[in-house]
Amino acid sequence: MNLLMIGGDTTVAAGEDGALYQMLRRFSAHWDRIDMICPRAPGTQARTVHGNVHFYPSPWPKLFQPWFIVRQGRKLMKERQYDLVVTHDFGTFYTGIGTYFLTRGQGVPYVSEIHHIDGYPRAMTWREKMYRALAKIYLRWVWRHVLAIRVVNTVEVPELLKKLGVPQEKILHLSSFYLDFDVFHPMPDEPCNYDLLFVGRLASNKGLFTLLDALAQVKQTYPAVRLGILGRGPLLGAVEERITALNLGANVTFIPRQPSAPAVARVYNQAKMLICASTAEGGPRVTVEAMACGVPVISTPVGVMVELVEDGINGLLFHWDAAELAGKVNQLLANEKKCAEIGERGRLAVQKFQADEVIQRYAQGYQDLVRRSKES
């Protein structure tokens, strides 16, 4: 089968060996050919990876991406027959809008992938509130045109879709957690460089100010507490200002960008715990990777966390409150035995996300969907 995928991830087209590149290494084995249309970004160019995955980045600004999707997609459709088109929908849904016009009258079914919804369950900025409202309008419309809506968790997004009128038979759950346990595993010989670790983009939905406010409270009990931040993003300047305002300069370290997944796994293993203070997530992937490394996770109940974490058993949950987060951190810092037990239970909880098996189910789910469509 041939697959046409349309999304916003530019890392592979830019030559990076990241999560998408590694996923495609396994996923490509289940398809004759995969073509991927993505936006323009620094360093992007047409590339072929894993022998049968071909990337086509736009030469135009993102504003014109729907037109590029139609133009490039129609060109590819003239060259070969596709069994399915998949669009990763998010933000302003420019990929989904472009895909709708691309597939009209072409006789090729398409699937919308909704990993998460900006501003849901909590919106922190007016922009996130606008995106959340836009998502509700889009989802009420798009389900009537797609073969299915793929979701990556079983509670948060499916419940919203049902409230918006999406029929259960149109909701397809296929996990997006593909863990290579040869990479993400406990490394007892790594030094403990950080008491707390944050990994992710410095963006409004990541709850960084909540984390820093909690750190300031933890510092009252543990003056030398250490937070490592691995990530960059638009809030870097604001985060640095908050660190200064809270007198946390000696407590926070910005970790340089890591070149590979094994390098990131080593950073996880250098921390006593990982914190996720996000207000909206599909995964989040970093929590699951940290759990695979045996690192205890303290997270808000976003994405898959609400269904994966048993509070106090294999992880800890808090509800976007800095004082509550500080209390959870203090619990683990004060009790090394409990910290280790939660880390080990968390590691066991994510064993179901073994990469080969999850990616095979991902590919099989789409292929079964295509077969059922052709039979109906």
Side-chain angles (χ1 to χ4, degrees):
M1 290 187 180
N2 294 326
L3 182 66
L4 177 58
M5 304 189 79
I6 298 163
D9 192 318
T10 60
T11 55
V12 178
E16 297 181 25
D17 179 358
L20 179 60
Y21 180 90
Q22 291 299 326
M23 185 280 286
L24 289 170
R25 181 167 62 86
R26 293 176 169 88
F27 190 63
S28 60
H30 300 278
W31 304 89
D32 295 314
R33 180 185 176 106
I34 302 173
D35 289 317
M36 304 194 71
I37 298 174
C38 68
R40 181 179 71 175
T44 55
Q45 63 184 47
R47 296 180 189 272
T48 298
V49 298
H50 310 309
N52 65 337
V53 184
H54 307 269
F55 277 82
Y56 304 90
S58 172
W60 305 335
K62 192 174 289 186
L63 176 64
F64 301 103
Q65 190 66 8
W67 285 272
F68 178 72
I69 290 168
V70 174
R71 177 182 173 182
Q72 182 63 46
R74 291 281 171 85
K75 179 180 177 182
L76 292 169
M77 285 180 172
K78 289 180 180 178
E79 296 173 358
R80 67 191 55 82
Q81 177 67 41
Y82 291 98
D83 297 277
L84 186 67
V85 179
V86 174
T87 171
H88 179 191
D89 283 345
F90 60 96
T92 57
F93 301 100
Y94 64 89
T95 58
I97 293 168
T99 303
Y100 168 74
F101 286 105
L102 165 64
T103 55
R104 284 184 66 186
Q106 298 299 307
V108 182
Y110 81 101
V111 168
S112 168
E113 291 192 342
I114 304 290
H115 288 212
H116 81 285
I117 296 167
D118 289 330
Y120 186 82
R122 292 169 69 95
M124 301 304 294
T125 66
W126 68 267
R127 183 175 181 175
E128 289 179 358
K129 292 177 182 178
M130 179 185 71
Y131 279 4
R132 183 175 61 192
L134 179 62
K136 292 179 179 181
I137 295 170
Y138 176 80
L139 292 168
R140 285 191 179 102
W141 168 78
V142 78
W143 74 261
R144 304 173 192 277
H145 303 283
V146 297
L147 201 54
I149 296 178
R150 180 231 178 165
V151 298
V152 299
N153 55 61
T154 61
V155 177
E156 187 178 89
V157 174
E159 286 184 352
L160 177 62
L161 291 177
K162 291 172 188 175
K163 289 178 183 177
L164 296 175
V166 180
Q168 177 63 49
E169 60 269 21
K170 285 266 185 153
I171 302 173
L172 175 65
H173 172 248
L174 296 169
S175 177
S176 65
F177 294 121
Y178 324 114
L179 294 181
D180 185 340
F181 294 115
D182 290 333
V183 173
F184 296 103
H185 59 85
M187 303 176 191
D189 293 334
E190 286 293 325
C192 182
N193 293 334
Y194 315 103
D195 298 300
L196 288 68
L197 179 66
F198 168 87
V199 178
R201 192 164 181 263
L202 308 188
S204 59
N205 69 302
K206 298 299 184 179
L208 282 153
F209 300 128
T210 300
L211 171 55
L212 293 174
D213 290 346
L215 181 67
Q217 296 179 42
V218 173
K219 185 179 178 180
Q220 296 174 15
T221 306
Y222 298 94
V225 65
R226 300 161 297 171
L227 166 66
I229 296 178
L230 175 55
R232 293 295 184 269
L235 290 186
L236 176 60
V239 168
E240 291 174 332
E241 289 178 5
R242 181 67 68 92
I243 290 170
T244 301
L246 294 173
N247 193 29
L248 295 173
N251 304 93
V252 180
T253 299
F254 284 94
I255 304 168
R257 183 182 180 279
Q258 301 300 297
S260 63
V264 173
R266 286 193 293 273
V267 174
Y268 289 137
N269 276 276
Q270 293 167 10
K272 290 183 180 179
M273 67 191 79
L274 179 127
I275 310 297
C276 169
S278 295
T279 54
E281 290 281 359
R285 173 173 294 277
V286 297
T287 55
V288 179
E289 291 176 346
M291 291 170 76
C293 294
V295 177
V297 164
I298 304 177
S299 176
T300 50
V302 291
V304 77
M305 291 294 98
V306 70
E307 60 198 73
L308 180 62
V309 172
E310 297 179 70
D311 188 33
I313 305 299
N314 60 5
L316 295 173
L317 297 174
F318 77 102
H319 297 81
W320 301 283
D321 179 75
E324 184 185 2
L325 173 56
K328 302 274 187 176
V329 171
N330 284 334
Q331 285 180 36
L332 294 187
L333 290 178
N335 192 332
E336 289 188 11
K337 181 181 178 181
K338 181 177 182 180
C339 196
E341 289 174 349
I342 287 177
E344 176 59 14
R345 294 192 197 107
R347 187 187 69 81
L348 295 174
V350 300
Q351 295 303 300
K352 61 184 178 180
F353 297 127
Q354 201 281 331
D356 288 329
E357 296 174 7
V358 175
I359 291 174
Q360 181 177 3
R361 288 196 293 269
Y362 178 26
Q364 190 67 51
Y366 277 162
Q367 291 169 357
D368 289 346
L369 192 66
V370 170
R371 293 187 184 99
R372 289 196 300 269
S373 173
K374 289 179 178 179
E375 291 170 0
S376 62

